[in-house]
Structure formats: structure tokens, C-alpha cells
Amino acid sequence: MKKENFTPERVAGHQCDPGRQQTIFWDRKQQGLGLRVTASGRKAYVYEGRLFGKTLRITIGAPDAWPLESYVTTDPTGKKIERLGARQEAARLKALLDRDIDPREEKAEQRAAHEARKLESRRQDATVGEAWRAYLDASRAKWSERHHKDHENLAHAGGAKKLRGTGLTVPGPLAPLMPLKLSNLTAETIAAWLEAEAQNRPTNAEQSYRKLRAFIRWCDDRPEYSGIAAQNVYNARSVRDAVPRTNAKDDCLQREQLTAWFDAVRKIQNPVISAYLQGLLITGARREELAALKWDDVDFRWRSLHISDKVETESGRTIPLPPFLASLLLDLKRINDTPPNIRQLRRLKQRGEEWQPSPWVFASKTAADGKIAEPRYAHNQALADAGLPHVSLHGLRRSFGTLTEWVECPVGVVAQIQGHKPSAIAEKHYRRRPLDLLRMWHDRIEVWMLEQAGIEFDASAARTGMHAVK
């Protein structure tokens, strides 16, 4: 092995021996330092030593990047910087091998530590908005479409053109927190945000706080976000004191109001909206649950509805289909299954479209997803025509739960029909009422409602019509 004292000029002049893929020249001054020159002219400093009796060769780098000797320079700010030379790097590698340390492992550990620092830096720089989007994406499969949309609206930045009316949308209650870093989500920040939001929209602020609390808990369970926000930041006394105290809603139809309500709702010209509103009161279902009902979920023969449950998210729940509500759905099915006239079919064909019955029970030709979207306007108009106080769509669900007490229906039956979690040990572990038992009580509830509303209805004829449906 021929050695020579490396100089910048000699390093620049070395070439690969003819007929070989590479040639290595060795430095006499620094033991183990070599210069590898390939047939293509590429050069690199290498170090060769022994570790545990085996030869180890490590690439240091190209002469363009590694000077032969260390030297000191200054950066634009005047700070002195030492540039390590190839000889000094070779001496460092030799020292590691002399201590039985593998430089490759040391480099891998340094790289891992560097990546860990970068990851932690990115973690600490993560904003609430970034984590919020990840939270929504991770929860999409477990939430209903409306529940997911509610979370999006709460954090919406606003400023977009309104879909109805004029002007621009206002920012959601959570929008001020979205640009903040998660590390800046402190009790003081949340308390100040709550106080500001509570001045104009206390109910939304209280709901947003509960969703923010669930979001922070989710972050604590995720490796990429855990430990960034202060622990239990949502439980600090300053935060709890700032949460607006909202009164529970108590809008509910009374027994003596049923006549006026049914009369006004049955006069709504849109049969889909009319049947939907009556279905909300008769079943006590959540508005999104009933709106998402498909014809495949309706069994006229066995008089049942399969509803996508907020609680039983995977399997949903099956509830009875009382005769009067079944007759309303039969009317909707006849409308849904009736094809358009020849002129309308011709127009569809010209557009390259083909008519098919809607899969949705409460279908809408104007809604983007094909099902009923906003029945509140028709309901509010019906309440005004009937001279009744305001009752929300959720108030109809509340009305069902309240009115069932008039027929002395067991609380557990009502909870099972409405999809509430069991509230007692016996209900949770020892009560699983079959559909026919629920149907007996549900039919009584519907009959009582119709009697109070003064509606004459032949349930036996309706049952006959249902058995005729395939």
C-alpha cells in the first residue's frame, strides 16, 4: 500500500488507474485516511480501520465538501465557524474504533436524534386547525353526516357567500382558536375565548366548549399531539367559571295542542315534509336519524323501521312502525315509485339520464344528497298558522317522550324506541324488549295521539294494505 502526504494539489491531480473501476490513494500523515477515485472521475475521502478484527471502510465525503485540513471562517454576522477537515474527521473515526465504537451506529443514533428533534419541533408547531382537521377525519366513520358538518361549521372561518339570503357567513365560535398553536392552548386562552363568545352567542359557546373538550382529550390519546396542550386545560377553574350557563330547552307540544298541530302539519302541500314532521312526533326519532331513512330500512310486512342510531352507531336500532305512520309512508312510496310523464322522461333521456326511484324515504329533488335537508321553514310556518308557540324539530322528539306518560308507557320502552342509553342497571343488563312488545306500546301511543288530534283512522285497513306491499 503506497502512501504519500496529501496536499490539495495532489488530491486534485489524482486519477483512477487505467482498466480499474476505482483506485484508492493513502495519506502518510493521517493513518487510515484515503482518497478514492472512480473511473468516472468522482473523488471521495474514505477512512479504513479495524473493528473487532474486521476491516471497516467509511466514506467521509467529496474533497469539494471536505477540505484537507480544518480551518476557521466567519459567517455574515461575524461569528467564527470551524470547518472540519478530512484529516481531523479521520482522526475522530480512528478514536471511535480504538474504543470499539462503530461510527456507523453513532451516525445512525445522531440521525435518529435529529429526526426526533425535527418531529418534536413539528409537533410543537402544530396548530389547533391542523389537529382539528385530523380529528374530524379520524372521526368521520363514527359520526353522522350532520354531526360531522356541525363540527366543520363551528370552526369555519366565515367570509363565504351565504347559500340563502345575502351577505357573507360569520366565523364559527371555534374559528378564533384555529390559527393558534396547540402549545398555546392554555387555560387563560380558552377562558378569554369563552368570555368573548358568551357575550353574543352563549349557547353556541357552551356547545363549542364541550366539543373542544372532546377534541383536546382526543389529542392527548394521539402520539402526534399528546402532551402539547397543557394537561386538563379544559378543567381549570378559570375555564369552568367562563363556560356560559345555558337554560335547558323545554319546547314541547302539550296534549291540547295536538289537534291544531296535526291539522296545520297535514295541510303542508309538500307530502314528504308533512309525513316527515308527523314521523318525528310519532317515533320520537332524532331529525338526522329519520331523514336518513331508506326504503331498505322499512319493513311494511313486519311493521318495523331500522334506524341508524347515534348511540348504537354500528348496528343501529329497530323500532316499530305504527299503522298511521305506515300509511303515510305507503303514500310516499307510491309517489316515489311512480315514473314521471312522457315529456319528463324525454327530457331526462336528452340529458343522458335515466329515471330511477329514490332510495330515500323522505326524498328531495333539490337537495344535494337527494334527501330532505331543511324542513324547519315549513314547520315554523305551520306553527304560525296554527297559532302555536315555537317548537323545534328536536322539540318534537321531546314531545314524544313527554306525551307517552299519558298512556303510562314504561320509561324503558320509550327509551328503547327513542334510542336513549339505559339509565339503570336493570335496563342496561336485564331488559331487551322484543319488537312485538315495543309495537304493542307504540301502537297505543299513536292511537292516543290521533284521538287527541281528532283524527279518524282505520288501523285494520292500514295493516291489510301493508301486508300487500312486497
Side-chain angles (χ1 to χ4, degrees), residues 117-252:
R117 288 193 297 270
K118 286 174 57 178
L119 178 61
E120 183 60 25
S121 178
R122 286 196 297 269
R123 270 174 31 89
Q124 294 299 329
D125 289 339
T127 65
V128 176
E130 294 171 3
W132 183 261
R133 287 190 292 272
Y135 172 54
L136 266 59
D137 291 341
S139 306
R140 181 182 293 273
K142 298 179 290 185
W143 291 348
S144 68
E145 182 180 348
R146 182 174 179 83
H147 192 61
H148 188 273
K149 189 64 177 177
D150 286 343
H151 280 73
E152 288 183 335
N153 292 337
L154 288 175
H156 194 271
K161 186 177 179 180
K162 291 183 178 179
L163 297 178
R164 294 183 177 88
T166 59
L168 303 178
T169 57
V170 298
L174 290 172
L177 300 178
M178 293 298 116
L180 300 178
K181 291 183 178 181
L182 273 174
S183 56
N184 292 335
L185 206 58
T186 62
E188 293 76 14
T189 303
I190 296 177
W193 161 74
L194 278 170
E195 291 172 357
E197 289 294 329
Q199 294 180 4
N200 298 319
R201 39 187 179 184
T203 301
N204 283 342
E206 191 269 339
Q207 294 175 349
S208 299
Y209 164 74
R210 287 190 280 111
K211 289 179 170 59
L212 178 67
R213 182 176 59 191
F215 161 69
I216 296 175
R217 289 172 177 168
W218 177 85
C219 287
D220 287 339
D221 290 336
R222 304 289 293 192
E224 60 268 37
Y225 301 117
S226 63
I228 300 179
Q231 189 175 14
N232 292 332
V233 64
Y234 49 82
N235 274 339
R237 179 176 294 276
S238 59
V239 173
R240 288 187 279 112
D241 290 344
V243 176
R245 301 295 182 263
T246 56
N247 296 324
K249 293 183 178 180
D250 57 358
D251 55 328
C252 178

Side-chain angles (χ1 to χ4, degrees), residues 257 259-265 380-389:
Q257 296 172 338
T259 301
W261 185 86
F262 269 101
D263 183 60
V265 169
N380 291 339
Q381 184 61 50
L383 292 172
D385 294 342
L388 295 173

Side-chain angles (χ1 to χ4, degrees), residues 274-330:
S274 177
Y276 173 75
L277 293 174
Q278 292 176 81
L280 285 179
L281 178 62
I282 293 173
T283 65
R286 301 173 180 87
R287 56 173 295 179
E288 303 87 1
E289 294 174 347
L290 199 61
L293 195 68
K294 293 185 176 181
W295 289 116
D296 290 342
D297 301 321
V298 182
D299 189 335
F300 287 107
R301 181 182 180 185
W302 301 110
R303 292 205 293 124
S304 66
L305 301 175
H306 185 76
I307 291 180
S308 298
D309 198 297
K310 177 182 177 183
V311 177
E312 301 291 343
T313 54
E314 294 184 1
S315 60
R317 71 180 188 276
T318 300
I319 66 172
L321 175 59
F324 178 73
L325 178 58
S327 69
L328 298 180
L329 299 190
L330 280 172

Side-chain angles (χ1 to χ4, degrees), residues 89-109:
E89 175 64 9
R92 187 186 71 84
L93 295 175
K94 181 179 182 303
L96 290 175
L97 292 178
D98 290 344
R99 301 199 304 271
D100 293 333
I101 298 174
D102 192 336
R104 296 169 300 181
E105 294 181 357
E106 183 198 44
K107 187 175 182 179
E109 292 173 357

